[in-house]
C-alpha cells in the first residue's frame, strides 16, 4: 500500500453555495430524489447553467492517479438522519445530497443507473446491511472488498464512479489503485491484453446470474490506448482457474502491482471521491458494522462520458448478461 494522497479539488464557499442552492431548489420542486425523467431533465438543465468555477471543478480526471477528491461540501451529521440499514429502506434519506451528486455527475457526463439495482435509482446508498457482511458487494462490511472495476462485467459500465460521503465516523478507507502507477513486464502486458477469461456479474445483479450460462465473453484485463494503459479487472468474478499457468502468473503480478500502488482514501462528510473507472480499481477495508444509525454511509453515482476511447471496440458486441444500463438523458 502506498502512502500517496489523493489529489484534492477544493470547492470555495461560493461554489458550494451555488450547488447547494440548486439541489435545495430541485428537491423542493420534486419532493423526492427518486429519479423520474422530469427530475433528470431539470437536473440536466440546471447543471448546464453551472458557473465556470463549478464546471471547472467537474473537469475530467487529469493525473495518472486516475482520481480526485472534491472537497468542501458540507453534510450536517444531525440533519442527515441515521444511516439506513439497507438501500431498500433508505428511500429519500439524505435526498438533497442525491440531487447534489446527480448535478455534479451531470456536469461530468451522463449519469447511468441499472434496472436491476437499487430500484433503478441514479444515486445509490452504500451502507452495511445485516446478513450481507461477507459479500463482495457494497452492502458488505467484515470482509475486504477486493479491488475491482465497477460493473466490470458490463460493456455499458461507468467511465466515472462517484462516492459522496454522508458519514464515516470510523474513518473506514476506500482503496484505489491506478494502472498508470503500476510497472509490468512487456510479456505480462502482452498476455493481459488478450481476451482470455470472462468477468461474471456480481451478487448485486441476481437476475443476471441466470444469464451466466450463455457463452460469457472473454475480455482483456488490460487495453493499450494512445494515452496509456486502461484496465477492466475484477478477480472475485473472474474464473482464473480456467486459464493456463502463464496467464495466471501474469494476472497475479498485475494484482500484486495494484496492491503495491494502492492508496487508502478515508472520506469525510465534506468529500466526494471521483474515480476514473478505466484507470483505477477501488475497494474497501474490512470493518465492524454497528447497525445503530452511525455506520459509514456513502452515496454512489455512475457516469458515462461520451466519446471516450479507453476501451476495446469489441466490447460493444457483448451481451452484458441481459442487464441494461439506463441513461439519464439523450443529447
Ligand atoms: Fe465498487
Amino acid at each position: 500500500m502506498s502512502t500517496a494522497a489523493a489529489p484534492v479539488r477544493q470547492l470555495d464557499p461560493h461554489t458550494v453555495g451555488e450547488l447547494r442552492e440548486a439541489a435545495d431548489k430541485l428537491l423542493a420542486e420534486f419532493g423526492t430524489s427518486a429519479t423520474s425523467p422530469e427530475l433528470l431533465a431539470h437536473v440536466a438543465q440546471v447543471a448546464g447553467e453551472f458557473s465556470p468555477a463549478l464546471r471547472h471543478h467537474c473537469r475530467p480526471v487529469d493525473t495518472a492517479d486516475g482520481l480526485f477528491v472534491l472537497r468542501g461540501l458540507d453534510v450536517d451529521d444531525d440533519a442527515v438522519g441515521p444511516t439506513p440499514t439497507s438501500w431498500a429502506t433508505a428511500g429519500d434519506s439524505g435526498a438533497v445530497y442525491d440531487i447534489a451528486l446527480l448535478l455534479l455527475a451531470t456536469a461530468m457526463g451522463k449519469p447511468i443507473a441499472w434496472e436491476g439495482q437499487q430500484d433503478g435509482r441514479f444515486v445509490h446508498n452504500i451502507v452495511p446491511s445485516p446478513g450481507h457482511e461477507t459479500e463482495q458487494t457494497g452492502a458488505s462490511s467484515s470482509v475486504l472488498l477486493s479491488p475491482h472495476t465497477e460493473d466490470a462485467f458490463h460493456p455499458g459500465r461507468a467511465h466515472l464512479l462517484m462516492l459522496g460521503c454522508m458519514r464515516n465516523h470510523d474513518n473506514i478507507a476506500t482503496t484505489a489503485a491506478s494502472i498508470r502507477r503500476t510497472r509490468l513486464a512487456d510479456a505480462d502486458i502482452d498476455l493481459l491484453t488478450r481476451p482470455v477469461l470472462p468477468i461474471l456479474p456480481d451478487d448485486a445483479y441476481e437476475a443476471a446470474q441466470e444469464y451466466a450460462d450463455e457463452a460469457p465473453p472473454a475480455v482483456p484485463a488490460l487495453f493499450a490506448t494512445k494515452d496509456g494503459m486502461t484496465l477492466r479487472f475484477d478477480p472475485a468474478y473472474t474464473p482464473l482457474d480456467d486459464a493456463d499457468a502463464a496467464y495466471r502468473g501474469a494476472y497475479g503480478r498485475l494484482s500484486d502491482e495494484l496492491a503495491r500502488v494502492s492508496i487508502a482514501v478515508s472520506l469525510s462528510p465534506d468529500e466526494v471521491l471521483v474515480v476514473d473507472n478505466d484507470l483505477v480499481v477501488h475497494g474497501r477495508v474490512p470493518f465492524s458494522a454497528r447497525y445503530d444509525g452511525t455506520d459509514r454511509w456513502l452515496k454512489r453515482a455512475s457516469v458515462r462520458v461520451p466519446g471516450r476511447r479507453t476501451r476495446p471496440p469489441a466490447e460493444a458486441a457483448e451481451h452484458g448478461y441481459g442487464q441494461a444500463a439506463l441513461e439519464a438523458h439523450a443529447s
Side-chain angles (χ1 to χ4, degrees):
M1 180 85 74
S2 157
T3 54
V8 172
R9 295 184 188 177
Q10 179 75 48
L11 294 164
D12 62 80
H14 182 77
T15 313
V16 174
E18 178 188 349
L19 177 64
R20 179 64 197 240
E21 208 174 292
D24 279 337
K25 220 166 128 190
L26 282 163
L27 184 58
E29 193 179 339
F30 285 85
T32 175
S33 64
T35 25
S36 59
E38 293 74 24
L39 174 60
L40 292 167
H42 275 67
V43 163
Q45 191 189 341
V46 172
E49 292 161 5
F50 271 179
S51 68
L54 190 42
R55 276 208 303 273
H56 183 64
H57 286 302
C58 296
R59 70 193 182 276
V61 169
D62 51 8
T63 69
D65 301 297
L67 54 79
F68 61 86
V69 169
L70 208 52
R71 181 179 292 162
L73 287 100
D74 80 272
V75 177
D76 183 321
D77 196 68
D78 292 326
V80 82
T83 301
T85 48
S86 79
W87 68 263
T89 57
D92 274 339
S93 309
V96 75
Y97 299 100
D98 292 342
I99 294 177
L101 203 60
L102 205 50
L103 282 163
L104 291 170
T106 306
M108 294 182 195
K110 292 183 179 187
I112 58 165
W114 302 90
E115 241 163 30
Q117 210 185 13
Q118 302 211 3
D119 282 340
R121 276 191 177 236
F122 278 70
V123 178
H124 293 165
N125 288 284
I126 307 297
V127 293
S129 294
H132 298 262
E133 287 82 357
T134 61
E135 283 175 6
Q136 283 294 310
T137 73
S140 73
S141 49
S142 64
V143 289
L144 176 85
L145 187 55
S146 25
H148 60 278
T149 302
E150 190 73 357
D151 298 324
F153 73 96
H154 203 284
R157 68 191 175 284
H159 294 110
L160 300 174
L161 173 69
M162 305 175 70
L163 295 172
C165 182
M166 296 289 98
R167 177 172 288 131
N168 189 12
H169 290 177
D170 302 313
N171 297 316
I172 295 150
T174 301
T175 61
S178 170
I179 189 64
R180 303 269 169 97
R181 294 284 185 213
T182 60
R183 287 192 298 260
L184 289 164
D186 288 349
D188 285 346
I189 291 172
D190 184 51
L191 276 174
L192 293 165
T193 47
R194 297 181 197 175
V196 173
L197 296 171
I199 300 176
L200 303 170
D202 76 31
D203 295 345
Y205 300 82
E206 279 160 33
Q209 299 283 356
E210 292 160 26
Y211 216 86
D213 291 339
E214 291 203 26
V219 303
L222 299 181
F223 179 61
T225 77
K226 72 173 176 41
D227 300 319
M229 207 63 79
T230 61
L231 89 169
R232 183 179 184 182
F233 182 78
D234 195 347
Y237 296 96
T238 300
L240 207 57
D241 290 345
D242 294 350
D244 63 19
Y247 187 86
R248 289 201 305 271
Y251 197 94
R253 286 185 289 278
L254 170 59
S255 298
D256 292 347
E257 270 297 290
L258 290 168
R260 183 180 67 81
V261 303
S262 179
I263 62 170
V265 186
S266 173
L267 290 172
S268 306
D270 66 338
E271 294 178 332
V272 178
L273 174 64
V274 181
V275 164
D276 189 316
N277 199 34
D278 290 325
L279 265 63
V280 169
V281 287
H282 65 279
R284 191 216 58 237
V285 300
F287 66 101
S288 298
R290 287 185 292 264
Y291 305 129
D292 64 353
T294 67
D295 281 319
R296 176 180 183 261
W297 180 11
L298 304 181
K299 299 274 188 188
R300 175 177 65 196
S302 298
V303 183
R304 280 183 70 83
V305 182
R308 294 225 318 188
R309 298 219 170 91
T310 44
R311 298 173 183 174
E315 272 194 36
E318 290 176 19
H319 56 50
Y321 302 88
Q323 292 290 294
L326 311 168
E327 264 195 22
H329 55 101
S331 66

